[in-house]
Amino acid sequence: DEVSIAKKRRLEGGMGGEELEVKFIAFTPNMRTLAKRSLISAITVGSDVFMLVATTTDSRYKSDQPVLRRITSSFVAASASSR
């Protein structure tokens, strides 16, 4: 598989969202393949979904994961009040 969902969990704090850990292969400008991992926070607001994606290389994921998790856990989305 070129893309796979490694983990999935519910976001805390009542935002009604999920966090996904995704593994995939990307191409460099020289057309070489590069294994990547992303943490994605997806939050549903009404009928819309808002996502924040934080990505690093697969080889750096273990050391970068705490920073990526802080980034994605800071994401919030809320309905705008209509006037």
Side-chain angles (χ1 to χ4, degrees):
D1 294 309
E2 292 181 23
V3 177
S4 64
I5 297 175
K7 293 181 183 175
K8 180 179 174 181
R9 71 177 185 93
R10 280 265 197 233
L11 291 176
E12 298 173 7
M15 290 300 296
E18 293 184 344
E19 181 183 78
L20 303 171
E21 181 184 321
V22 178
K23 297 179 181 183
F24 62 98
I25 302 295
F27 287 99
T28 68
N30 295 335
M31 297 305 292
R32 295 180 185 203
T33 59
L34 182 61
K36 306 275 276 190
R37 282 200 190 189
S38 295
L39 282 180
I40 303 170
S41 285
I43 299 172
T44 303
V45 178
S47 61
D48 298 316
V49 176
F50 297 90
M51 297 186 295
L52 175 69
V53 181
T55 303
T56 190
T57 60
D58 189 55
S59 61
R60 294 184 59 178
Y61 183 74
K62 189 173 184 177
S63 64
D64 288 351
Q65 186 180 18
V67 173
L68 298 178
R69 194 163 305 281
R70 280 196 308 271
I71 291 168
T72 58
S73 67
S74 71
F75 183 56
V76 292
S79 178
S81 60
S82 52
R83 298 186 188 253

